[in-house]
Amino acid sequence: MAIVNNPGAEPVQSSAGSVRANAGDDVPVVVEKLDIEHALVEDDPRKWSRARKGAILVVVSAAGVICGLGANLYNPAIAQIENDLRASSGEISWSISLFILIQGGFPVFWSAFSEIYGRKKIYLVSFALGIVGCIVAATAKTIGVLIGMRCVQAAGSSAVFAIGAATLADIFDPHVRGTMMGIYYGAPLLGPALGPIIGGALSQAWNWRATFWFIVVFTALCLIAFTFFPDTFRRERSLTYQSVLKRRLREQMAKETANMSSSSSMTHTLQKDLESQVVASGSQIVSQELKEIKLTLKDVNPIAPFASVLSRPNNVAILCTSALIFSIGYCMTYTCSRTLSSKYGYNALQIGLVLLSFGMGSISGSVLGGRLSDHVFARLKEKNGGVSYPEMRLESTKYSMLFLPPVAAAYGWCAEKHVHVAALCVFLFFTGFFAISMYASTLAYIVDANTGRSSSAVATNSCFRGTAAFVATEVAVPLELAIGDGGLYTLWAGLMVIAELLIILVWWKGGEWREKSERKEASLDR
């Protein structure tokens, strides 16, 4: 709470529980101190119309499709690429693994840039980079050039992973965030669902280069859409921005110590809590120094926010959970393609149609899981007297916890025994459904539990899941050959149990860990 001297007002209890004053009285006024997520800003994105918010959700979700398509359009054309570019299977494997690794890790850098320059500029730059990578890849004459440009393509397409979720956090309040995250994350899942079919059709109609030209056109359309995209970033709500700003203010104060009045003004600014806003008589108090200081490229530090996210035990536990849940999907679609080709004799298009069941299950789980997450969150908030905390959202995962491990193991043994493909489709669907419904809740939790640094938190999540998917892809075939599909997915069922235990741990102790970390960060920031 803050005390403001407002001459001549009679204290009146406000709706928010703070004490305000009427003009004309000379009494101390207690004004509510807002957390950084609800800091007052000009043109507040959360107060935009539903139509405007809906349009942003559609544009960001459409851009998210690029992430999934980049990895999955490529797979049906692998045989053509091997023949055309005289590539070995090892080189092809590198072109896939490096794409996954870079697409998972690079969002950490995009996130750091977006916390200084805003979301819109990063979208435009990353899309342009992705277009360049795809154009050069489409005209590549050697496998080395193709691998290099796949890396560039991965870096360009990865920005949406981090700042897409942060954009939604900018415009939606927590009570609807789970639903919106579910819709947003459902879009990239169209890549695994439709990518093999589209990629196979393009490769058969033309050749493998057509898959890259398709992404060029799609990304260009997204680039045009984002040209008219209103930036949702507000620096007053960014802990990263405020941290950099404080450092710059200290530097500026050191240079101006000779000017006592300027030094006094700067000291007053430093003492003020930049992570909150004080409102008096409905107006926001904004320091002149904050408006004058401009941050530059040298202020971008992706390591500091990354380390801040990992300093919290609740974050580390949920990030490991998300990585495991995400990786089973990559492993399952990869090994299923091999099984269908070698044991069932299916061609690329038939394999794509079978894998469509996993994609549709994932999309259904994302949308319905997000809605369930919001429903449970609202119910528990009401039960708790209108007070909410991020860990409430994790209760919605208990339904999927019961079914995901046995369903994953059942898929493996059906593939091992070569049962009818209809059984594989059923278990692929439900594995995708239960895994992604849990993932939708953990992603929303990561955003809710890291107010002021949602972009950095989601980027760290992307880095974890990308690294895990890289490892899962590399070890999938050796393990499949050694212990079979049944043994492999019994092992994955055990890993899913571990992931679920981590969720339960955060559900139980996460609030205590988070609040302890927040107090520690606040004391260090003084």
Side-chain angles (χ1 to χ4, degrees), residues 150-355:
R150 284 274 290 171
C151 292
V152 173
Q153 177 196 0
S157 66
S158 66
V160 183
F161 269 145
I163 60 177
T167 298
L168 300 187
D170 292 341
I171 63 177
F172 291 111
D173 285 309
H175 68 278
V176 296
R177 199 172 283 163
T179 299
M180 300 308 163
M181 289 293 179
I183 295 172
Y184 155 71
Y185 189 66
L189 296 174
L190 287 172
L194 301 179
I197 299 174
I198 298 174
L202 290 172
S203 299
Q204 290 181 8
W206 290 280
N207 55 38
W208 64 270
R209 300 179 190 273
T211 62
F212 288 99
W213 289 117
F214 179 88
I215 298 176
V216 168
V217 174
F218 193 94
T219 307
L221 292 175
C222 290
L223 179 63
I224 294 171
F226 273 93
T227 303
F228 305 98
F229 183 87
D231 202 337
T232 63
F233 176 73
R234 296 296 181 267
R235 61 186 185 179
E236 295 87 352
R237 292 176 175 171
S238 170
L239 283 176
T240 301
Y241 187 98
Q242 298 295 344
S243 177
V244 174
L245 181 62
K246 286 181 180 182
R247 188 185 76 244
R248 290 289 299 276
L249 286 171
R250 292 188 185 99
E251 294 171 355
Q252 182 171 319
M253 184 181 67
K255 294 178 182 178
E256 297 180 359
T257 51
N259 187 331
M260 296 302 297
S261 61
S262 175
S263 179
S264 177
S265 173
M266 292 299 297
T267 302
H268 172 73
T269 302
L270 284 170
Q271 291 173 344
K272 191 168 68 171
D273 184 4
L274 288 173
E275 296 179 9
S276 61
Q277 305 297 319
V278 177
V279 183
S281 301
S283 63
Q284 181 181 355
I285 300 174
V286 182
S287 72
Q288 187 63 30
E289 288 84 357
L290 186 145
K291 292 182 178 180
E292 292 174 354
I293 293 179
K294 302 295 183 183
L295 304 187
T296 61
L297 188 63
K298 67 180 181 180
D299 294 304
V300 177
N301 179 10
I303 304 301
F306 185 79
S308 296
V309 172
L310 293 180
S311 67
R312 298 184 177 187
N314 61 304
N315 284 342
V316 174
I318 287 296
L319 290 169
C320 291
T321 297
S322 295
L324 288 172
I325 294 173
F326 187 78
S327 298
I328 190 174
Y330 262 93
C331 183
M332 187 168 286
T333 54
Y334 183 32
T335 58
C336 183
S337 297
R338 288 173 46 85
T339 300
L340 292 173
S341 176
S342 61
K343 305 298 183 183
Y344 289 76
Y346 281 16
N347 60 34
L349 187 58
Q350 290 172 318
I351 292 172
L353 290 172
V354 173
L355 293 180

Side-chain angles (χ1 to χ4, degrees), residues 446-464:
I446 288 169
V447 173
D448 291 348
N450 292 274
T451 54
R453 55 166 69 99
S454 58
S455 176
S456 300
V458 176
T460 306
N461 177 65
S462 178
C463 184
F464 265 64

Side-chain angles (χ1 to χ4, degrees), residues 28 56 119-120 412 469 526:
I56 293 172
R119 318 292 189 212
K120 180 176 180 178
R526 291 195 184 100

Side-chain angles (χ1 to χ4, degrees), residues 9-30:
E10 179 182 352
V12 178
Q13 187 71 21
S14 73
S15 60
S18 61
V19 179
R20 297 192 177 181
N22 295 324
D25 295 338
D26 188 9
V27 295
V29 180
V30 181

